[in-house]
Amino acid sequence: MNTIKFFAVIGFVFATSMVASAQNNDTIPGAEVRKMAMASDVQDYKRDFQEAFNGVANDEVVAVVNDRVFWRGRSIHGWHGTIRGGYGADMGSGLTVFQPQASLVLGYAGGMVDWDVSGGFNYLSDQEGKAYFAFNAFVEPKWNFAHWGKNNLKTNKLFVGVKVGLQESRDWNNTFYEDENIVLTGNGNDRSMGLAYGLTFGYERRFFMSPNRLGIVLDVHTYDTQKSFKFSMNGETLKDETSKTQRLYVGVSVYYKFVLQKKAQNF
């Protein structure tokens, strides 16, 4: 609320100074200042603000002086950059590790849908439960299914989305045994980028007349790891196959988002 008041006062002072200049520097008596308000409280002018932004949703600060409206606005939607960090759990084959995760996100913050592309790292688990560093990259469209906020400003939202991309992984330590009759070889896929997909769910809080947003997100995705196994006896190969093991990753992150928005003002 203090932030809202701060921007309202700034808008009011600037508006009144411009009016004074337009009237040959005549001082406007305090009694003639009718009110200061956010556009959400001045419903009669809402249409004008929307038209000034070509129909794009925006925040406005309004000062009404001598029945004349002065305003400035900042569009809500736009391209953004996001820094995201938290912890995750890699699960599969009865082994789980809890380690940090982080990512950078670029995308477009819209009204009902956000479009994000992320690239980052997490820690996964190998066959012995040892954590290792791995990269990932995802496309993450999100549906903003709930909005709310004081004075219908829609400063809070809940979203759900899907994520599809690539997850780096490795699996299975190398195994080798040999005697006079038997040769047993097991090879792990040292490093590979495989298909990964999952869901995201989160909450975001944006600040009035500001490009800054904070949020928290829960994400879940599954990915495949690959291994090979070869068994021979008396020089004859009895088994030679490559198989995949599916694993599940669950992460929780907090994030900071900066939206590149267009501004407009009439004073």
Side-chain angles (χ1 to χ4, degrees), residues 13-42:
V13 171
F14 199 69
T16 53
S17 66
M18 291 301 293
V19 172
S21 177
Q23 297 180 352
N24 298 321
N25 295 322
D26 292 336
T27 301
I28 299 177
E32 296 182 12
V33 179
R34 300 298 180 86
K35 61 182 176 179
M36 292 182 295
M38 294 180 299
S40 58
D41 296 326
V42 188

Side-chain angles (χ1 to χ4, degrees), residues 199-245:
L199 299 173
T200 63
F201 177 81
Y203 161 80
E204 181 177 287
R205 164 72 175 178
R206 69 177 188 84
F207 299 94
F208 179 74
M209 287 294 292
S210 169
N212 301 307
R213 308 184 184 199
L214 297 176
I216 184 170
V217 60
L218 168 68
D219 63 281
V220 179
H221 71 264
T222 183
Y223 67 96
D224 292 330
T225 58
Q226 185 173 293
K227 64 177 181 178
S228 63
F229 179 78
K230 185 175 182 179
F231 176 71
S232 61
M233 179 179 293
N234 296 325
E236 181 182 356
T237 299
L238 301 179
K239 194 169 187 178
D240 186 359
E241 65 179 24
T242 298
S243 62
K244 293 183 178 181
T245 300

Side-chain angles (χ1 to χ4, degrees), residues 1 23 28 37 44 60 63 72-73 76 81 91 107 128 134 143 156 171 180 202 217 242 246 251 255 260-261:
M1 188 64 185
Q23 297 180 352
I28 299 177
D44 292 343
E60 307 94 359
R72 67 175 179 175
I76 296 172
M91 298 175 284
E128 297 179 342
W143 172 46
N156 303 275
D171 199 4
E180 295 180 354
V217 60
T242 298
Q246 193 171 52
Y255 66 82
L260 303 175
Q261 305 159 308

Side-chain angles (χ1 to χ4, degrees), residues 11-258:
F12 166 72
V13 171
F14 199 69
T16 53
S17 66
M18 291 301 293
V19 172
S21 177
Q23 297 180 352
N24 298 321
N25 295 322
D26 292 336
T27 301
I28 299 177
E32 296 182 12
V33 179
R34 300 298 180 86
K35 61 182 176 179
M36 292 182 295
M38 294 180 299
S40 58
D41 296 326
V42 188
Q43 299 297 330
D44 292 343
Y45 308 123
K46 193 71 174 180
R47 181 188 307 172
D48 295 333
F49 295 133
Q50 294 290 339
E51 290 176 354
F53 277 82
N54 295 319
V56 176
N58 61 94
D59 288 335
E60 307 94 359
V61 173
V62 181
V64 181
V65 181
N66 287 337
D67 292 327
R68 186 177 177 184
V69 178
F70 298 88
W71 62 275
R72 67 175 179 175
R74 181 186 284 271
S75 61
I76 296 172
H77 307 152
W79 298 99
H80 73 82
T82 300
I83 301 174
R84 194 164 63 194
Y87 266 77
D90 181 46
M91 298 175 284
S93 303
L95 300 168
T96 302
V97 295
F98 298 90
Q99 293 288 339
Q101 65 169 355
S103 59
L104 296 176
V105 185
L106 298 176
Y108 186 82
M112 294 302 296
V113 180
D114 292 356
W115 297 94
D116 293 342
V117 176
S118 68
F121 75 88
N122 50 13
Y123 282 87
L124 305 180
S125 173
D126 62 16
Q127 182 193 20
E128 297 179 342
K130 296 179 181 179
Y132 64 93
F133 184 90
F135 291 100
N136 59 64
F138 291 97
V139 176
E140 306 178 27
K142 301 178 178 71
W143 172 46
N144 305 313
F145 65 89
H147 292 89
W148 73 94
K150 188 175 181 180
N151 295 324
N152 297 316
L153 288 174
K154 296 183 178 180
T155 50
N156 303 275
K157 71 178 181 182
L158 293 175
F159 59 84
V160 62
V162 298
K163 54 187 302 187
V164 179
L166 299 173
Q167 172 69 65
E168 183 184 31
S169 66
R170 74 183 188 199
D171 199 4
W172 314 113
N173 59 329
N174 291 334
T175 301
F176 181 79
Y177 173 80
E178 182 177 9
D179 61 20
E180 295 180 354
N181 300 315
I182 299 175
V183 177
L184 176 65
T185 303
N187 293 316
N189 188 0
D190 186 30
R191 290 280 181 175
S192 66
M193 297 291 287
L195 177 65
Y197 51 91
L199 299 173
T200 63
F201 177 81
Y203 161 80
E204 181 177 287
R205 164 72 175 178
R206 69 177 188 84
F207 299 94
F208 179 74
M209 287 294 292
S210 169
N212 301 307
R213 308 184 184 199
L214 297 176
I216 184 170
V217 60
L218 168 68
D219 63 281
V220 179
H221 71 264
T222 183
Y223 67 96
D224 292 330
T225 58
Q226 185 173 293
K227 64 177 181 178
S228 63
F229 179 78
K230 185 175 182 179
F231 176 71
S232 61
M233 179 179 293
N234 296 325
E236 181 182 356
T237 299
L238 301 179
K239 194 169 187 178
D240 186 359
E241 65 179 24
T242 298
S243 62
K244 293 183 178 181
T245 300
Q246 193 171 52
R247 297 182 67 89
L248 182 69
Y249 186 87
V250 180
V252 177
S253 300
V254 294
Y255 66 82
Y256 163 72
K257 178 185 291 185
F258 184 92

